[in-house]
């Protein structure tokens, strides 16, 4: 069902680096493709997302970024990068491969993947490599208190270049809302996507804040962008039933606010009762998500 291609990349500060491109083809040859990028503490496992696209005659690709999922090597620290631009080489290579036999490419990215993709698309504007961005709860800002935000921004010091894990604690609420062994409906590898997430390192957080400030200053993405976010955010440390119908990771208001910083052509849609990963929401909710994706792609991306 899926084709797997390992992308061998230049070594980084921890040594050998690979990324993994997963592909599922539509039943008939097509010149249309979607490339999916996951978020933090994540990897591609959403088979129903791939099925949605291939049923519409669109080839589906997903990229497990360096140090995540299928790409994690034994010597690596999960998710650790010095800059979000560290991911650009694997995105460049994945796009090169996909565009060898596709004229139309949409990048569908979730959470941290949405932040990374936004900066990547700004860098390659004018080159026609991508025809649209569909961003699912992109990580445009921190969902923390004012003092915590100040502390995060103070990491622009030598500390930000260390591999030190920050003593932030962890919550299993989001994982509990998803996994079928807890309160959710989805089955995925808990070694690759633990219920409590990954450790947050100073280096990683500093890189994320630099990227977010760059986005807040304004990008010039030159293709249509769809930004999807839940209608409701919820900050809790312990699981409550409401966690199954809200974004418990990010503040959807931040997402909506900063969506206008991407470029001149942005559509922002709020999804009632949506989870952080909107395509993992309850079935009626994810049907709305897919309907919004279809409507936007038909209006702004698909070439005649």
């Amino acid at each position: 069902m899926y084709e797997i291609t390992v992308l061998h990349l230049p070594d980084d500060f921890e040594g050998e680096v690979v990324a993994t491109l997963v592909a599922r083809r539509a039943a008939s040859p097509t010149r249309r493709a979607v490339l999916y990028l996951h978020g933090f503490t994540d990897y591609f496992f959403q088979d129903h997302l791939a099925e949605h696209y291939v049923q519409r005659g669109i080839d589906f690709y997903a990229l497990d970024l360096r140090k995540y999922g299928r790409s994690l090597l034994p010597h690596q620290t999960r998710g650790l990068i010095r800059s979000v631009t560290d991911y650009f080489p694997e995105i460049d290579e994945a796009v090169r491969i996909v565009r060898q036999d596709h004229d139309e490419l949409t990048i569908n990215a979730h959470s941290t993947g949405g932040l990374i993709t936004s900066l990547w698309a700004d860098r390659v504007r004018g080159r026609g490599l991508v025809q649209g961005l569909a961003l699912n709860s992109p990580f445009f800002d921190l969902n923390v208190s004012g003092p915590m935000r100040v502390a995060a921004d103070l990491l622009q010091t030598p500390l930000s270049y260390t591999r030190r894990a920050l003593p932030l604690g962890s919550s299993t609420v989001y994982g509990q809302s998803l996994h079928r062994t807890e309160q959710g409906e989805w089955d995925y590898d808990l070694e690759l996507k633990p219920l409590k997430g990954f450790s947050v390192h100073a280096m990683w957080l500093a890189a994320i804040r630099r990227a977010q400030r760059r986005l807040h200053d304004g990008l010039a993405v030159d293709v249509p962008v769809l930004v999807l976010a839940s209608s409701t955010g919820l900050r809790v440390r312990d699981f409550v039933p409401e966690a199954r119908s809200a974004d418990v990771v990010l503040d959807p208001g931040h997402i909506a606010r900063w969506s206008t910083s991407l470029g001149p052509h942005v559509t922002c849609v709020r999804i009632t009762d949506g989870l952080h990963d909107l395509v993992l929401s309850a079935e009626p909710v994810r049907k709305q998500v897919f309907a919004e994706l279809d409507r936007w792609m038909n209006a702004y991306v698909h070439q005649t």
Side-chain angles (χ1 to χ4, degrees):
M1 182 179 295
Y2 290 99
E3 306 165 15
I4 305 292
T5 303
V6 177
L7 309 181
H8 295 275
L9 303 162
D11 291 357
D12 76 352
F13 57 94
E14 290 190 313
E16 182 185 1
V17 173
V18 300
T20 308
L21 186 64
V22 179
R24 181 173 171 186
R25 303 281 184 160
S28 301
T30 177
R31 303 296 293 182
R32 295 173 174 172
V34 163
L35 174 63
Y36 174 77
L37 268 68
H38 60 79
F40 186 61
T41 313
D42 212 351
Y43 72 107
F44 169 67
F45 65 89
Q46 298 88 339
D47 288 337
H48 66 295
L49 179 62
E51 181 69 16
H52 175 82
Y53 286 115
V54 299
Q55 284 186 352
R56 285 153 180 77
I58 302 170
D59 286 342
F60 178 83
Y61 296 80
L63 185 62
D64 276 11
L65 297 164
R66 64 183 65 198
K67 305 183 184 182
Y68 288 99
R70 301 165 183 84
S71 306
L72 181 65
L73 300 177
H75 65 276
Q76 293 177 325
T77 305
R78 293 170 183 248
L80 189 61
I81 42 91
R82 287 177 169 166
S83 168
V84 299
T85 62
D86 291 353
Y87 297 118
F88 288 1
E90 53 252 51
I91 301 174
D92 289 342
E93 180 61 8
V95 168
R96 184 193 68 79
I97 292 170
V98 174
R99 289 201 62 94
Q100 285 178 341
D101 54 2
H102 297 90
D103 302 320
E104 176 190 295
L105 173 61
T106 301
I107 297 185
N108 184 178
H110 169 56
S111 197
T112 307
L115 174 64
I116 298 163
T117 296
S118 298
L119 271 67
W120 176 87
D122 181 69
R123 180 179 67 94
V124 302
R125 63 183 183 270
R127 295 169 56 185
L129 295 178
V130 62
Q131 280 62 59
L133 305 182
L135 308 181
N136 167 2
S137 303
F139 189 16
F140 287 165
D141 208 344
L142 298 180
N143 185 19
V144 297
S145 64
M148 283 293 293
R149 187 182 303 274
V150 171
D153 288 338
L154 290 175
L155 287 174
Q156 307 307 312
T157 67
L159 177 63
S160 67
Y161 296 99
T162 72
R163 305 179 197 181
R164 182 179 305 175
L166 298 173
L168 300 179
S170 60
S171 170
T172 62
V173 172
Y174 182 51
Q176 287 178 279
S177 73
L178 297 181
H179 203 270
R180 70 177 185 179
T181 61
E182 298 287 337
Q183 306 294 328
E185 63 175 291
W186 304 102
D187 187 22
Y188 52 83
D189 189 333
L190 290 174
E191 175 61 28
L192 301 181
K193 183 178 173 65
L195 291 180
K196 65 178 182 179
F198 293 171
S199 297
V200 173
H201 293 78
M203 182 189 296
W204 178 87
L205 184 56
I208 292 298
R209 286 304 286 160
R210 288 195 299 272
Q212 289 174 341
R213 285 196 297 272
R214 173 71 183 87
L215 184 144
H216 296 173
D217 287 342
L219 305 179
V221 175
D222 61 354
V223 297
V225 183
L226 173 65
V227 176
L228 297 166
S230 178
S231 62
T232 305
L234 181 66
R235 290 173 63 181
V236 291
R237 294 296 300 176
D238 299 308
F239 184 83
V240 294
E242 293 80 5
R244 291 194 294 261
S245 56
D247 190 330
V248 297
V249 178
L250 299 182
D251 183 337
H254 292 163
I255 297 171
R257 174 189 177 187
W258 294 116
S259 65
T260 57
S261 298
L262 293 170
H265 191 161
V266 178
T267 303
C268 183
V269 179
R270 304 289 291 270
I271 304 295
T272 301
D273 295 334
L275 294 179
H276 176 55
D277 188 341
L278 292 159
V279 303
L280 301 182
S281 302
E283 184 176 9
V285 179
R286 62 181 181 264
K287 282 184 176 180
Q288 182 192 353
V289 173
F290 289 138
E292 295 291 350
L293 279 168
D294 289 344
R295 181 173 19 251
W296 174 80
M297 292 184 75
N298 288 331
Y300 297 119
V301 178
H302 291 329
Q303 302 169 2
T304 58

